[in-house]
Amino acid sequence: LSASTGASTGTDFASNISKQNSNIRMESSFKNGWHHSRSRHYDDDILRGQDQDSPINIPAKNNYLEKMNNNNNMSFHRPSSHIRSHAMSLRGGGIRAAVVTKRRNNLKEKSPPSDEIVSWSRRDLVIFQSSNFLIVLATAVVAFSPAPALIAELGSERATSTLSMLSACAALTEIIISPTLGSLLDSVGRKPALIFTLLSMGLANGAVSLHSSVVTICIAKFVGISCVGLFFIASQVIVSDICASNPERMSSTLGVQYSLIGGAFFLGAICAGWLSEFGLSVNYGVSTIIVVLTALLLTFGISETLLPSKKIPLQGAAVRKQLLESPWSCTRILYRYSKKVRVLALLLMVQSLPQFMGDTFQILAKTEWNLTTKGFSSYVAMLGIISIAANVVGSKMVGKLGIRKFTALATLSGMLSPLGASFFSFRGLVVGVILGFLGFAQMLGVTAALVAEGAKSNVPQGVLAGERASFLALMKVIGPIWYSTLYVEGKKLVGVGSLPFLFNVILGLTAFGISQYYL
């Protein structure tokens, strides 16, 4: 067959055989000796008549039978390898075999090498999650220490202005550095960033524990706020590295992380009140020990998640451009999208602004209500528990009431605590917080509406989430300065320090009106 069939004849034969894929029947003269499957023996198609009247198949079979009759040693057994290989080439099998081989080779070439896969053991993940818990615990232990110390040294008015400016400058630094930090994380790695932030916090807090002064306390406050924000940026990148290909695992990892953060702040607030009885140096000393041990734990306990092949060289021109553009990038959500997206973003800003009173609230509680550090830390711990309950209940009520009705109820509930504080001091605040606990969940419905509106406008959710977070981070800069001004100037003009709470009532009424009109 190979001698009598030319290249063009073989190609035509294979082409016609491939087009006739029905009515396959075995010739009766071959039934006794040939019962091989099509997938195992490629020469069966030559011995099978796909169409008895086919002008292609009959000459091929006759030609094959003539060769077999001329060979005295040929018997009705499996044909020799050269006949099978030629039969395969006639029916296009050789072409298919070559294609399959090529595809297999391509797959081998495209398959990533073993070092392209980020692999973390359970031990790595446990140590990483523990570091998130420990840094929040170390932060909460000293969170309420600066205000009383600075009030004793500077007075309530100067202490309020100083702490507000520190919080605002630290938040602005975080906004400016965040894009550049992303470039550093992709060039240097994630692990060095975690260790650097922890050691910076340890150095600043250790200085206060050894020698407490206005300067060291302010430096520790600024470094602490900045480093915690940068630590969690690197932490989120690590979670993306190890869970990017598995959304279910990412959700589970983030859920555990958020639970640990909430538990750490609750425990830290209680410990801060207890440690405050032993002096300022004890709080900062305990915090220093925690962050240093956490840095050592990360140094020897986890592996780097940035693969060598994915490192991007750091370019000075790109870094300078990011630093210049970063202060204005946080307002992109206000002019890049539709009017409804812009209004919903502003509504989120109005709802979230009372959360950024900063140290002004602690100074107000100490000077106006004579609340000790231990009492204030207990109040903050109570807020953590109420916030968890509010979000659990609110997530179920949104589905039953709808976004518009739930937001109205939650916004009105959130106004009870500032009203109680304005007219009935600390007891009125506590009663208002308990009765209006849904106010802690008032952003749930608005956030869901913003996400839905972004999806309608074909806005990538990742981009929208990043710009929303950047825009709300701007409130960390504005909030502390604005509330400190209201408190200080209110005492001078009116003689009372409740002006920040009255402003929160106005914000609640504004949020209620916007939500009822646009939701």
Side-chain angles (χ1 to χ4, degrees):
L1 284 173
S2 60
S4 61
T5 308
S8 60
T9 305
T11 304
D12 294 338
F13 182 83
S15 176
N16 284 279
I17 288 294
S18 63
K19 292 178 182 178
Q20 300 174 12
N21 294 320
S22 60
N23 301 324
I24 300 176
R25 293 176 294 182
M26 178 71 78
E27 286 289 326
S28 58
S29 59
F30 292 93
K31 282 183 179 179
N32 295 328
W34 298 92
H35 297 286
H36 305 289
S37 66
R38 183 180 180 89
S39 62
R40 292 185 58 190
H41 302 295
Y42 297 105
D43 55 330
D44 286 354
D45 283 345
I46 298 178
L47 302 178
R48 293 176 180 174
Q50 293 185 0
D51 189 349
Q52 293 294 334
D53 300 326
S54 172
I56 300 284
N57 292 331
I58 292 175
K61 287 186 291 183
N62 292 337
N63 199 4
Y64 186 83
L65 291 172
E66 182 179 358
K67 267 189 166 289
M68 292 177 63
N69 291 331
N70 292 335
N71 191 350
N72 294 328
N73 296 326
M74 181 72 71
S75 59
F76 288 99
H77 295 289
R78 184 175 179 178
S80 59
S81 60
H82 72 279
I83 297 178
R84 293 199 309 272
S85 63
H86 182 70
M88 182 175 67
S89 66
L90 286 178
R91 64 186 296 272
I95 299 173
R96 283 194 293 272
V99 171
V100 170
T101 304
K102 185 176 181 181
R103 286 178 180 173
R104 289 177 179 171
N105 292 336
N106 289 339
L107 287 175
K108 291 181 180 179
E109 293 173 0
K110 293 180 181 180
S111 60
S114 58
D115 63 346
E116 293 292 326
I117 301 174
V118 178
S119 178
W120 254 21
S121 63
R122 182 179 294 273
R123 174 177 172 273
D124 289 322
L125 186 59
V126 169
I127 293 175
F128 169 69
Q129 296 284 38
S130 300
S131 69
N132 288 273
F133 176 87
L134 291 173
I135 190 175
V136 175
L137 179 64
T139 303
V141 166
V142 297
F144 314 121
S145 299
L150 292 184
I151 289 174
E153 295 289 336
L154 304 176
S156 61
E157 292 186 6
R158 288 186 62 190
T160 303
S161 303
T162 301
L163 289 174
S164 299
M165 288 300 298
L166 283 174
S167 299
C169 291
L172 184 61
T173 302
E174 181 182 344
I175 292 174
I176 294 174
I177 292 180
S178 293
T180 305
L181 177 65
S183 301
L184 289 172
L185 291 174
D186 289 333
S187 61
V188 178
R190 291 65 156 120
K191 185 176 174 180
L194 298 179
I195 298 172
F196 175 78
T197 54
L198 288 169
L199 292 179
S200 300
M201 285 184 61
L203 183 62
N205 291 346
V208 179
S209 65
L210 295 176
H211 177 68
S212 60
S213 64
V214 173
V215 175
T216 55
I217 292 173
C218 291
I219 292 175
K221 178 75 173 178
F222 178 83
V223 172
I225 296 174
S226 303
C227 287
V228 169
L230 300 179
F231 179 92
F232 280 105
I233 291 175
S235 176
Q236 294 300 314
V237 176
I238 289 177
V239 173
S240 300
D241 288 339
I242 63 177
C243 304
S245 60
N246 192 336
E248 291 78 10
R249 186 186 177 193
M250 179 178 288
S251 301
S252 176
T253 303
L254 290 176
V256 173
Q257 186 181 34
Y258 295 154
S259 300
L260 290 173
I261 290 172
F265 192 81
F266 173 76
L267 180 61
I270 295 177
C271 292
W274 178 67
L275 292 173
S276 64
E277 299 178 355
F278 300 95
L280 187 69
S281 60
V282 176
N283 289 69
Y284 279 94
V286 171
S287 178
T288 302
I289 294 172
I290 293 174
V291 294
V292 170
L293 291 177
T294 306
L296 292 174
L297 188 64
L298 289 176
T299 301
F300 300 103
I302 67 171
S303 56
E304 176 60 59
T305 59
L306 178 62
L307 301 173
S309 59
K310 293 186 177 180
K311 287 188 175 181
I312 302 174
L314 191 64
Q315 299 179 355
V319 171
R320 287 192 295 270
K321 183 178 180 182
Q322 288 174 342
L323 289 174
L324 292 174
E325 293 181 351
S326 55
W328 317 110
S329 61
C330 56
T331 60
R332 288 178 182 173
I333 196 172
L334 297 180
Y335 58 83
R336 292 184 64 182
Y337 307 116
S338 63
K339 178 183 177 182
K340 190 169 184 179
V341 170
R342 180 165 58 252
V343 171
L344 292 174
L346 290 172
L347 178 57
L348 281 178
M349 180 198 71
V350 172
Q351 290 178 325
S352 63
L353 189 57
Q355 301 176 10
F356 302 112
M357 290 182 68
D359 296 289
T360 301
F361 178 58
Q362 185 181 1
I363 294 174
L364 186 153
K366 183 176 179 59
T367 55
E368 301 295 324
W369 302 330
N370 296 320
L371 196 65
T372 63
T373 302
K374 185 176 181 179
F376 184 79
S377 61
S378 300
Y379 171 75
V380 173
M382 182 193 72
L383 291 183
I385 297 175
I386 293 177
S387 176
I388 294 173
N391 284 280
V392 171
V393 175
S395 61
K396 298 183 180 298
M397 292 184 65
V398 169
K400 295 182 178 180
L401 297 179
I403 292 178
R404 187 168 180 268
K405 292 182 179 179
F406 172 78
T407 303
L409 177 62
T411 303
L412 294 176
S413 299
M415 293 170 58
L416 295 179
S417 57
L419 284 172
S422 300
F423 298 103
F424 303 102
S425 69
F426 182 66
R427 291 184 179 180
L429 174 67
V430 174
V431 173
V433 165
I434 295 174
L435 294 179
F437 74 101
L438 277 180
F440 289 92
Q442 60 182 302
M443 296 174 65
L444 285 177
V446 181
T447 303
L450 180 60
V451 171
E453 185 63 27
K456 291 179 182 178
S457 304
N458 295 323
V459 180
Q461 291 299 321
V463 174
L464 182 63
E467 293 184 354
R468 181 182 73 238
S470 179
F471 177 65
L472 294 181
L474 189 62
M475 299 302 102
K476 296 180 182 179
V477 180
I478 299 174
I481 297 176
W482 174 248
Y483 280 106
S484 66
T485 303
L486 286 177
Y487 173 64
V488 173
E489 297 300 325
K491 288 197 68 175
K492 291 180 180 179
L493 297 177
V494 186
V496 294
S498 59
L499 202 58
F501 297 111
L502 294 175
F503 176 73
N504 287 344
V505 174
I506 297 174
L507 287 179
L509 293 174
T510 304
F512 177 81
I514 296 175
S515 63
Q516 296 308 293
Y517 186 79
Y518 284 98
L519 288 179

